[in-house]
Amino acid sequence: MHERVLAVPLLRTGGHPSAERRALQRRVHRGELVAIRPGVLVDPAHLVGLRPEHEHLLLVKATAPSIRAPTMISHASAAVVHGLPVVGRPPVKVEVTDPRRERSETSALLRVHGAPLRTERDERDERDERWSGLPPTSPIEFCGATTTSLVRTLVDVASTIPLLEALPMIDAALHDRRLLPDMLVEELDSRARKGRAKAALAVGMGSALSESPAESVCRVRFRQVGAPDPVQQHVFARAGERSAVVDFWFPEQGVVVEVDGRAKYTEHGDSPADAHWREKRREDFVRSFPEVRFVVRLSWADLMDADRVRLALTRAGVPCR
């Protein structure tokens, strides 16, 4: 999807004579063009099928030429540039960090963060960091503007946005082996106190075993409702038979939790009916194990309501607060 967004032609009106700008504005009023931001227009046909995070990426692309060093694209905007999963809606303004500022402020087009403070230890030992220069810890370029590194971006978002939105990003980066957990820990350790405890929770919960944003959100809900920690990606298998991997397994309660109702054995090209049949057979196989008392299935709608998750777990016998 990055490629599609990057290929969208942008019409910048700044260099046009006033008469041409007025003509372009009339086309906007007629719906023939859409303003991505003041002075940047696009054919609405290019917006069809774009998800909110892709629309935000297009906004970042439109804004990037006006972002001058040492200011960098950062936080949720950098997360979109890095292709991290977005749960909820992205910000309406492009987020940047200006190292010359200590406090954050909002302009008409930007959310400008002050540079994250560093500990004295970090400033002293910065040259000796073992991850220095590696891709996860290095800033990247996007449409002419500098974007914070993947590691810094993840700690930035973990310190500023809800856990429900930050953990899917961290889990995805770990699952895809884009970085090592120690990289996040070291970046976190280098930060001063503000936002550090919030970020530490998200970093500490990070798991490479989460295979989708829905599983990450589910883990946050388990914590919020006070459920015990489940086993992730538990394998049910018998000698000489097929095996099945489930999202979550509560061994003491004998409860399996599956997220989003997706079929584990759906093959590419299967019809919906075939996929449904395969998933039914897979669930029957899981239920055939004597230690499995109950299988709970949670949809995205369920995951958006902690009370619905609590009710589903307690009905299955999983203790919650």
Side-chain angles (χ1 to χ4, degrees):
M1 184 56 73
H2 267 52
E3 291 75 14
R4 177 184 169 185
V5 173
L6 290 173
V8 172
L10 300 179
L11 177 57
R12 300 183 185 274
T13 63
H16 291 258
S18 58
E20 291 185 13
R21 290 200 299 270
R22 288 194 296 270
L24 290 171
Q25 192 59 43
R26 288 193 292 271
R27 293 185 63 189
V28 171
H29 291 319
R30 292 196 298 267
E32 298 172 2
L33 294 171
V34 173
I36 298 299
R37 52 163 280 170
V40 183
L41 310 178
V42 66
D43 185 329
H46 292 298
L47 304 180
V48 176
L50 292 185
R51 294 174 56 85
E53 58 266 33
H54 304 142
E55 293 178 358
H56 185 75
L57 184 64
L58 190 60
L59 175 62
V60 176
K61 175 187 175 182
T63 306
S66 65
I67 300 173
R68 297 282 183 258
T71 301
M72 296 185 289
I73 301 167
S74 66
H75 293 75
S77 295
V80 172
V81 170
H82 283 289
L84 297 169
V86 175
V87 174
R89 297 197 66 84
V92 295
K93 299 178 186 292
V94 175
E95 294 194 89
V96 299
T97 292
D98 186 342
R100 298 164 295 188
R101 299 175 184 267
E102 293 185 2
R103 297 183 178 181
S104 300
E105 63 181 43
T106 301
S107 68
L109 300 172
L110 300 174
R111 170 66 172 165
V112 185
H113 297 268
L117 295 176
R118 300 285 186 174
T119 63
E120 292 182 1
R121 181 201 63 78
D122 178 73
E123 292 175 349
R124 183 176 64 250
D125 298 340
E126 190 172 8
R127 291 173 300 177
D128 300 325
E129 289 182 354
R130 52 180 168 159
W131 313 119
S132 179
L134 295 179
T137 63
S138 301
I140 63 172
E141 185 271 340
F142 180 75
C143 296
T146 302
T147 302
T148 53
S149 70
L150 177 62
V151 170
R152 178 171 171 180
T153 297
L154 288 169
V155 174
D156 280 344
V157 295
S159 65
T160 55
I161 67 175
L163 179 64
L164 201 72
E165 300 173 19
L167 188 62
M169 296 182 182
I170 293 174
D171 282 357
L174 293 172
H175 177 75
D176 294 342
R177 299 183 179 182
R178 297 177 64 182
L179 49 74
L180 298 173
D182 285 353
M183 294 178 176
L184 293 173
V185 173
E186 287 197 11
E187 174 67 21
L188 182 62
D189 287 345
S190 75
R191 300 295 181 95
R193 182 173 300 176
K194 184 178 180 181
R196 186 170 171 179
K198 180 182 177 67
L201 174 59
V203 170
M205 287 185 64
S207 171
L209 294 176
S210 295
E211 296 186 339
S212 70
E215 290 183 28
S216 301
V217 170
C218 195
R219 294 176 57 230
V220 175
R221 292 304 191 201
F222 290 158
R223 182 181 184 276
Q224 290 174 339
V225 303
D229 290 333
V231 177
Q232 284 188 268
Q233 308 305 326
H234 180 71
V235 179
F236 287 95
R238 291 192 185 97
E241 295 189 46
R242 68 184 187 278
S243 62
V245 183
V246 298
D247 294 333
F248 302 104
W249 167 237
F250 292 88
E252 292 189 10
Q253 292 78 32
V255 175
V256 167
V257 176
E258 294 277 62
V259 175
D260 218 19
R262 69 187 187 283
K264 298 288 186 178
Y265 286 86
T266 301
E267 296 178 355
H268 181 69
D270 277 355
S271 69
D274 288 339
H276 178 76
W277 173 245
R278 288 177 181 274
E279 180 60 10
K280 182 181 183 303
R281 291 188 61 194
R282 176 182 170 278
E283 185 168 320
D284 288 343
F285 175 73
V286 170
R287 290 179 183 274
S288 71
F289 286 77
E291 62 267 34
V292 177
R293 294 181 48 256
F294 210 91
V295 175
V296 175
R297 308 197 72 87
L298 297 174
S299 66
W300 262 110
D302 296 325
L303 295 176
M304 291 301 101
D305 187 336
D307 288 336
R308 289 170 68 169
V309 174
R310 178 186 290 107
L311 181 60
L313 291 179
T314 54
R315 281 178 172 172
V318 178
C320 300
R321 283 195 301 267

